[in-house]
Amino acid sequence: MSEPDRAVVIGASVAGLLAAHALSGHFAEVVIVERDSLPREPEFRKGVPQSRHLHVLLVRGAEILEQFFPGITESLYAAGAQPIDWTRDVLYLGAAGWGTRFPRSLTLILSHRELLEWSIRQRVLGSPRIRAIEEHDVVDLLPSSDGIRGIRLRARPDGQVQELEARLVVDASGRNSKAPEWLAAHGYPPPRQTVINSFLGYASRQYAPPADLNVDWKALFLLPKAPKTTRSGGLFPIDGGRWMVTLAGAGRDYPPNDDAGFLEFARTLRSPILYEAIRTAEPLTPISAYRRTENQWRHFDRLQRWPQHFVALGDSVCAFNPIYGQGMTAAAESALVLDGWLSRAEPALAFQRRLGKMLAAPWLLATGEDFRFPTTEGGKPGLTTRLAHRYFDRLLEVGTVDETVSQAFLRVLHLLDPPAALFGPGILARAVRGPGRPLLSAPPTATPLGTAVGRPA
Ligand SMILES: Cc1cc2nc3c(=O)[nH]c(=O)nc-3n(C[C@H](O)[C@H](O)[C@H](O)COP(=O)(O)OP(=O)(O)OC[C@H]3O[C@@H](n4cnc5c(N)ncnc54)[C@H](O)[C@@H]3O)c2cc1C
């Protein structure tokens, strides 16, 4: 019997959907198996509990989405997503102080995570080659003489178990993926796993902005000054004219999920401006909390033995501390790596190695910052990280007033340029020279909410 020209993807979240899109250029049929029923509208579903929290799509991620699905940016805007220019529209308090509002930097598309995922899903499932099997749990892989030949799945409604054969199985089932256990049961060695945990907790709530709001900014992003302070907060406009407000605390300084505690946590951020903004705003949702935020990398790329016809990507391989907003962009990059690998017809392990190379930069950025907190577990910052911290501190300071440095930093954080770009001669010279003028002592806004709040802690 000939092999079916079919690929199977486990999980229909962002990584699975984007992988399915890449696979559709190489297989006659792509089947995505998802345990949830997939909402027909942009709505919450249980399999993606993190969607209740702020999801920023980095600029590199938005670029890849537009490349995969031309016109998706415009349709997100048409559905209410908000464009924001990072230095013009955001009052940003970084470790070194308030950032200057330069007139133009990078434009981000802000929406609720549910709208973003739904928009991608509409396009992916609109392909004649891709279909979804909903309300089915993948419960095992099917072994073959040289690797994996398919999956075993169980229907949620009636518990019925069936098998689905495929020429390639892609695991995109997220942080709690069972892939290591399934592979071990079929005789493959488990991967080494690195976990770096800053014990960051999130609490989020949506608000209707006050009707009489008089501000000249669209978003607020307040970060801690590690290791002295641990608390951060973001207020971003999303579709539906709403604000998504996420508070976060590192080192187990978890934000509460009751009304008074949430507001009090906001008041104690390094600037009370976010508190002042939400104090009179109307809460539209309950407060949701989330604490599974550790950086977790399963090093499939370092294994010597790996089955043919099986690969893993997305959070299943590498999940980041979400505060740096990298997960969905790394998933989009992974789909590009998958596409390139399929064009080369290499062994499956070569995919994991290529993926590992791509993940190195976002991993370094996320874990490097987490190591600033002495409470972070999973290793200690080495000499390189400590030197990088000192250099980045200087750049952060200069970048609050120097447009070139600010732009270079943003491009690295948005995964448009590699971290090495910050060590080029132009940036180094600016770091040596220093800011050259006083840093801002108050948020750069003329409207009352800003002028009332004064210096940051
Ligand atoms: C609090 C929080 C905030 C975040 N903020 C951002 C942000 O600002 N920007 C950003 O880019 N990223 C952010 N992320 C990360 C982002 O959510 C993920 O990186 C992104 O969803 C890609 O993950 P994934 O598709 O690999 O896995 P997931 O999103 O976890 O999805 C896994 C999917 O697999 C399904 N599944 C699991 N097991 C099975 C099974 N056995 N059978 C069938 N289906 C299964 C699940 O139902 C789910 O649909 C955040 C994450 C968290 C936790």
Side-chain angles (χ1 to χ4, degrees), residues 175 192-198 294-299 363 367 371 376-379:
R175 213 181 242 282
R192 206 165 59 74
Q193 180 168 294
T194 307
V195 177
I196 295 174
N197 196 348
S198 69
E294 66 274 18
N295 301 285
Q296 168 186 298
W297 191 345
R298 297 186 176 115
H299 295 288
W363 177 262
T367 57
F371 277 136
T376 294
E377 289 181 6

Side-chain angles (χ1 to χ4, degrees), residues 15 86 356 386:
W86 189 258
R386 293 201 305 272

Side-chain angles (χ1 to χ4, degrees), residues 13 15 34-35 45 50 55-56 113 138 290 315 322 325 327-328:
S13 176
E34 168 57 50
R35 63 187 176 187
R45 62 185 181 87
Q50 72 266 34
H55 266 69
V56 172
R113 152 77 194 229
V138 175
Y290 202 92
D315 282 15
M328 298 188 295

